[in-house]
Amino acid sequence: MIGASISVKPLIIAVFAISSFLALLYLSPSTKPIPLNSSVLSVSHRLKIRDLSFSSEKLSIWSVKRVMEWRPCKWWLQGHVSVLPAENNGYIRVDCYGGLNQMKRDFCDGVGIARLLNATLVLPKFEAAAYWNESSGFADVFDVDYFIQQMNGFVKVVKDFPGEIASKEPFRVDCSKRKGQFDYVESVLPQLLEHRYISITPAMSQRRDRYPQYAKAAFCQACYRALRLTRSLEKKASELLEAIPKPFLALHLRFEPDMVAYSQCEYLGLPPASMEAIDAARGDRKKWTGELAQLWRKRGKCPLTPSETALTFQALSIPTNTNIYLAAGDGLMEIDGLKSIYRNVFTKSALLSGEDFTNMHGNTKAALDYYVSINSDSYIATYFGNMDKMVSAMRAYKGLHKTLFLNRKAFAELTFQGLKGEELLQALWIAHKDDYVMGRGYALPDCFCEFKL
């Protein structure tokens, strides 16, 4: 016992000395810790902001030299996949819900799952939803024969269940609420082996990093190579693309009543008509108020308004005469906040006419926005939803790297700090410049690899 006490005493003294040294460092005015998020600058760093080169007249965000880009991984492009087994474990159909890009995401996930479980993929069932003004199915949007051809060797695809089981409803497996360590092989494969034909709603939070490479390759092939619009829809999309003055920026702006209601964000000072529309869409979902509302916004959870978007565009030195295609629905609120500064704003409803357009449903209209966005000269999103993830990844696949997501968290923190005018513009420039240089949020990592420039 005496020997143990002698050996412990120097250790206690050393720990005390180190702790005192760290405390002095922390309390020293010249060595206070800098916030972990270096993109968001505090008021105490304003002098540093003024020292950095900034010109709202000469340098736009697209002129900044990037240091990293996302490009398709070679293991997928070169087709290094395992040979499909001669026998499979049954049939899987993917049941898709929501808007077009959410359904596309779920379907791509289902392709990877079918390959993972060694199943034959049945073309998906798209939800018919009055909420989305939607009744079109998979074949109304995508070229079915082209998809089957492109997936040859990655996964076996059929248009429907075979005759002996086509009249029966498949066994339904809903994985949409599964999270964490959920495993398809452990949880879904036994049901596939038992029932032989199942329908599946994939989990929203995927763990594709745990997939074998052949399953990931099937997912990548489906998302970025095999899904092509039908000939008639692509013709209409090409017509829309040609009608937009060039060059142009595609902007995905999310400030519809349902989006604001879903975000639970508080917006003060909106006109009564906008507030009424938000309240009508809110239903039982309550908005955050007071300090909780500020905290929620500081976490970057709130969509930018059109006015905030226009201000950020000015900070990024995007000229006010820029041609902007608005990739959005018809329910946008406060759009004059953008148009009062950026006057060359174009929409599909203004550029297209005819009965064939007015009769289009939600999915096909969303497909037009998607097509224009992936072929635009530059693309900016005010959110990071399903469409934004799909568009940014496809633009990376096509080698179009002028893509940026507006930093809602930076905007909220900087404005809450009291920054205004030129000082706010400079701080927003720095936050977004860092994001653009490093390619943050630029593409999904499942099929893309970092490429340093």
Side-chain angles (χ1 to χ4, degrees):
M1 292 296 294
I2 295 177
S5 64
I6 294 175
S7 62
V8 169
K9 186 175 181 180
L11 179 62
I12 295 174
I13 295 173
V15 170
F16 178 79
I18 293 172
S19 301
S20 301
F21 177 70
L22 291 175
L24 286 172
L25 281 178
Y26 184 83
L27 295 173
S28 174
S30 61
T31 58
K32 285 185 179 180
I34 296 175
L36 293 177
N37 185 358
S38 60
S39 295
V40 182
L41 306 175
S42 66
V43 177
S44 63
H45 295 140
R46 292 181 185 182
L47 291 176
K48 292 183 180 180
I49 294 174
R50 295 193 186 102
D51 293 337
L52 296 173
S53 60
F54 172 83
S55 172
S56 60
E57 298 295 331
K58 297 181 180 178
L59 188 62
S60 76
I61 189 66
W62 311 123
S63 302
V64 175
K65 185 178 179 181
R66 302 176 68 94
V67 300
M68 191 275 291
E69 289 178 352
W70 291 89
R71 297 183 181 178
C73 299
K74 291 182 178 180
W75 57 261
W76 158 46
L77 290 181
Q78 294 174 353
H80 293 164
V81 295
S82 302
V83 177
L84 289 173
E87 301 291 333
N88 64 39
N89 295 322
Y91 296 85
I92 288 180
R93 185 189 73 196
V94 187
D95 291 346
C96 303
Y97 300 88
L100 176 64
N101 289 285
Q102 179 180 334
M103 292 196 288
K104 181 180 176 183
R105 179 204 68 188
D106 286 347
F107 176 58
C108 292
D109 286 336
V111 174
I113 295 165
R115 183 65 184 93
L116 175 69
L117 303 183
N118 185 28
T120 294
L121 179 73
V122 180
L123 290 183
K125 178 183 178 182
F126 276 16
E127 173 195 30
Y131 177 81
W132 297 95
N133 184 25
E134 188 50 60
S135 61
S136 53
F138 181 82
D140 296 310
V141 180
F142 299 110
D143 187 329
V144 170
D145 293 331
Y146 181 81
F147 176 79
I148 295 175
Q149 175 191 354
Q150 290 295 310
M151 293 310 300
N152 184 37
F154 288 88
V155 66
K156 185 178 179 181
V157 183
V158 295
K159 295 182 179 180
D160 205 344
F161 289 111
E164 64 272 17
I165 59 175
S167 61
K168 301 178 182 178
E169 274 298 307
F171 181 80
R172 176 155 173 69
V173 183
D174 187 357
C175 307
S176 59
K177 305 300 181 184
R178 308 291 184 93
K179 296 180 180 179
Q181 299 299 314
F182 172 68
D183 188 279
Y184 284 101
V185 174
E186 294 178 359
S187 302
V188 178
L189 181 58
Q191 297 179 76
L192 175 65
L193 292 173
E194 177 183 354
H195 299 280
R196 293 293 295 171
Y197 58 110
I198 65 175
S199 68
I200 185 171
T201 304
M204 294 183 66
S205 179
Q206 293 290 298
R207 288 295 306 273
R208 301 186 198 97
D209 57 312
R210 302 170 66 189
Y211 286 9
Q213 201 167 77
Y214 57 81
K216 287 198 289 185
F219 165 83
C220 298
Q221 182 75 1
C223 255
Y224 307 113
R225 273 185 167 174
L227 287 177
R228 184 176 72 179
L229 299 182
T230 62
R231 290 181 182 273
S232 60
L233 190 53
E234 186 167 293
K235 181 180 178 182
K236 181 60 66 176
S238 298
E239 179 184 333
L240 175 59
L241 182 63
E242 288 298 317
I244 304 170
K246 312 294 189 297
F248 75 96
L249 180 155
L251 169 63
H252 191 209
L253 182 60
R254 299 303 311 270
F255 203 69
E256 305 95 340
D258 61 307
M259 186 64 189
V260 176
Y262 176 80
S263 72
Q264 297 182 269
C265 294
E266 181 182 54
Y267 290 88
L268 302 176
L270 292 180
S274 296
M275 296 299 295
E276 289 174 7
I278 296 170
D279 289 339
R282 198 180 301 280
D284 296 332
R285 189 182 296 271
K286 296 182 179 180
K287 66 180 179 182
W288 298 109
T289 58
E291 292 184 2
L292 288 177
Q294 292 187 11
L295 178 63
W296 193 243
R297 189 167 174 84
K298 284 181 180 180
R299 290 179 60 190
K301 300 295 185 179
C302 299
L304 294 178
T305 70
S307 295
E308 293 168 344
T309 300
L311 178 63
T312 307
F313 273 24
Q314 291 178 291
L316 301 179
S317 298
I318 295 175
T320 55
N321 64 348
T322 299
N323 297 317
I324 297 176
Y325 174 77
L326 205 56
D330 299 325
L332 283 175
M333 302 182 297
E334 308 302 309
I335 191 60
D336 287 343
L338 174 72
K339 289 183 176 180
S340 62
I341 300 173
Y342 289 87
R343 299 183 181 276
N344 298 336
V345 176
F346 304 89
T347 62
K348 54 184 174 293
S349 59
L351 294 170
L352 293 177
S353 59
E355 189 175 343
D356 57 340
F357 173 71
T358 56
N359 290 337
M360 294 176 79
H361 293 279
N363 280 347
T364 46
K365 286 185 177 180
L368 298 181
D369 283 340
Y370 174 79
Y371 183 90
V372 169
S373 296
I374 64 174
N375 289 291
S376 60
D377 298 284
S378 52
Y379 177 78
I380 290 182
T382 62
Y383 211 68
F384 194 48
N386 291 308
M387 176 172 170
D388 306 315
K389 294 173 185 176
M390 291 288 182
V391 168
S392 63
M394 183 57 79
R395 287 177 60 82
Y397 174 72
K398 294 168 67 72
L400 301 173
H401 300 292
K402 288 185 177 180
T403 303
L404 184 68
F405 297 97
L406 298 191
N407 194 326
R408 304 184 307 280
K409 184 175 181 181
F411 189 97
E413 291 196 4
L414 292 168
T415 51
F416 275 122
Q417 289 168 19
L419 270 67
K420 297 179 180 179
E422 190 72 9
E423 201 168 42
L424 175 60
L425 294 179
Q426 292 183 29
L428 286 171
W429 163 261
I430 294 169
H432 288 86
K433 184 202 70 172
D434 291 346
D435 287 348
Y436 184 68
V437 166
M438 299 305 299
R440 294 191 185 101
Y442 183 78
L444 301 179
D446 304 292
C447 311
F448 296 85
C449 297
E450 291 183 0
F451 182 86
K452 293 184 179 180
L453 302 176

